[in-house]
């Protein structure tokens, strides 16, 4: 009898450890790729930040477009009011224009008197609000004057037709 133990397992071929190593490397590669994919999907914060940045860019663009459109519309309104004022002045008889100027002076005087009375009898918070409204009116003087002139001429013409 020999002292060597008998093994029932066959001896591995030289390629078998190499194949196991290759298989293990492939398995690790697949697991690493899977983990990288999960990590990419789990990066919700980065995707949310990207989406928020995109939304902010779109909001800024929309605001800029709105400002440009408002400026364009304002210019168009001013041009139209100016054309209307010129048209009214060019087509209105001098007598009517004189009456309109006189009426405008009377309205200005009455407005000044009313303003003084209101200033003397109005609480301070209301005066502050009125001051803000007056600033807006001064900033848009031309369209307001054109509209007022048109209204005066319209009323004078209507009044003149009623007398005939």
């Amino acid at each position: 009898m020999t002292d060597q133990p008998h093994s029932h397992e066959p001896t591995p071929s030289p390629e078998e450890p190499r194949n196991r190593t290759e298989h293990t490397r492939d398995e690790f590669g697949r697991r690493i790729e899977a983990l990288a994919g999960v990590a990419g999907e789990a990066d919700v914060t980065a995707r949310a930040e990207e989406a928020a940045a995109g939304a902010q860019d779109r909001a800024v663009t929309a605001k800029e477009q709105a400002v440009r459109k408002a400026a364009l519309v304002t210019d168009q309104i001013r041009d139209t009011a100016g054309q209307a004022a010129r048209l009214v002045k060019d087509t209105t008889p001098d007598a009517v224009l004189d009456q309109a100027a006189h009426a405008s002076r009377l309205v200005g005087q009455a407005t000044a008197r009313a303003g003084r009375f209101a200033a003397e009898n109005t609480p301070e918070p209301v005066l502050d609000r009125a001051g803000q409204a007056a600033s807006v009116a001064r900033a848009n003087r031309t369209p307001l004057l054109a509209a007022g002139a048109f209204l005066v001429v319209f009323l004078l013409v209507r009044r003149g037709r009623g007398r005939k």
Side-chain angles (χ1 to χ4, degrees):
M1 285 207 154
T2 61
D3 290 336
Q4 293 182 356
H6 290 78
S7 91
H8 294 3
E9 294 180 21
T11 54
S13 69
E15 300 215 4
E16 194 172 319
R18 211 175 283 140
N19 289 342
R20 278 191 218 162
T21 302
E22 189 68 34
H23 176 73
T24 303
R25 281 186 191 152
D26 290 343
E27 184 65 28
F28 280 147
R30 282 193 296 275
R31 287 183 183 183
I32 288 172
E33 286 176 6
L35 286 174
V38 169
E41 292 173 9
D43 195 8
V44 175
T45 303
R47 285 191 286 166
E49 287 173 355
E50 288 174 10
Q56 186 176 12
D57 290 344
R58 288 188 300 276
V60 167
T61 301
K63 179 182 175 185
E64 289 170 351
Q65 288 174 346
V67 167
R68 282 194 300 270
K69 184 145 186 131
L72 178 66
V73 169
T74 300
D75 290 344
Q76 289 173 343
I77 289 171
R78 282 190 183 134
D79 290 345
T80 303
Q83 290 171 0
R86 284 188 297 279
L87 179 64
V88 167
K89 186 177 178 183
D90 293 345
T91 59
T92 305
D94 289 339
V96 174
L97 288 176
D98 290 341
Q99 286 179 340
H102 179 69
S104 177
R105 282 190 300 277
L106 292 176
V107 168
Q109 292 168 357
T111 302
R113 282 192 305 274
R116 284 191 299 274
F117 177 79
E120 293 168 358
N121 297 304
T122 304
E124 194 65 34
V126 175
L127 285 176
D128 290 342
R129 285 287 203 183
Q132 292 171 355
S135 296
V136 171
R138 271 189 232 97
N140 298 298
R141 183 176 301 210
T142 302
L144 289 174
L145 289 175
F150 177 77
L151 180 63
V152 168
V153 169
F154 173 76
L155 293 174
L156 289 173
V157 170
R158 187 171 172 202
R159 180 176 164 199
R161 287 184 182 164
R163 290 184 180 173
K164 291 182 181 182

